[in-house]
Amino acid sequence: MSLLPRQDRRYLEERGITVREVIEGAEKGVILAGITLPAGKYQVAQADILILLPPSYPEVAPDMFYAVPHLKLVVCQREPRCTEARHAFDSQIWQRWSRHNNHWRPGADGIWTMLKRVEEALEVAA
């Protein structure tokens, strides 16, 4: 059984994003593999992104996202603001990006909304 609704899976497939669904204890998450990062902004060109799904997803929004490897800004050689916390999941230690979602529209939003939030956060991080 998939953690993601069919339309979410279809969206990720159309974008060519490899996704792995993981259940670990009470947590359910999707790992998006090899997401391309803004050119020259981080110490790496790609990262895996973890999105933990709340029990009532997609009616309830995912809150934050997580990255492996831990990302550092090239310009200042430090982690972006609000990424200090760590989270253990799927045998890895993830860098938590504390970016809260207050504009979720149940029935209209899905993984595409969360991915746009992730892409924007990675682009504007300072």
Side-chain angles (χ1 to χ4, degrees):
M1 181 182 125
S2 179
L3 301 178
L4 292 172
R6 184 178 328 144
Q7 61 191 23
D8 284 3
R9 291 191 317 269
R10 188 176 320 127
Y11 173 80
L12 294 169
E13 187 177 293
E14 288 171 0
R15 294 241 355 231
I17 297 172
T18 301
V19 62
R20 193 162 52 88
E21 299 173 314
V22 178
I23 297 173
E24 187 171 280
E27 291 184 310
K28 297 177 181 179
V30 292
I31 297 171
L32 310 177
I35 297 297
T36 300
L37 303 175
K41 185 160 183 127
Y42 299 98
Q43 85 279 17
V44 293
Q46 294 183 329
D48 290 349
I49 300 295
L50 165 65
I51 298 170
L52 293 176
L53 301 176
S56 299
Y57 178 84
E59 294 303 311
V60 175
D63 190 31
M64 297 178 261
F65 68 93
Y66 306 80
V68 162
H70 300 182
L71 302 177
K72 284 190 176 182
L73 298 162
V74 170
V75 158
C76 55
Q77 289 300 306
R78 67 166 176 75
E79 295 184 352
R81 282 192 289 261
C82 300
T83 63
E84 305 82 20
R86 301 294 182 254
H87 186 75
F89 187 80
D90 193 40
S91 302
Q92 296 188 79
I93 304 298
W94 296 80
Q95 178 188 42
R96 186 181 80 186
W97 285 62
S98 183
R99 309 293 191 271
H100 302 287
N101 189 349
N102 300 316
H103 302 290
W104 191 259
R105 301 164 300 165
D109 287 328
I111 201 71
W112 53 88
T113 309
M114 189 62 186
L115 191 54
K116 285 182 190 212
R117 288 183 57 243
V118 168
E119 290 168 344
E120 182 179 322
L122 292 168
E123 184 66 45
V124 303

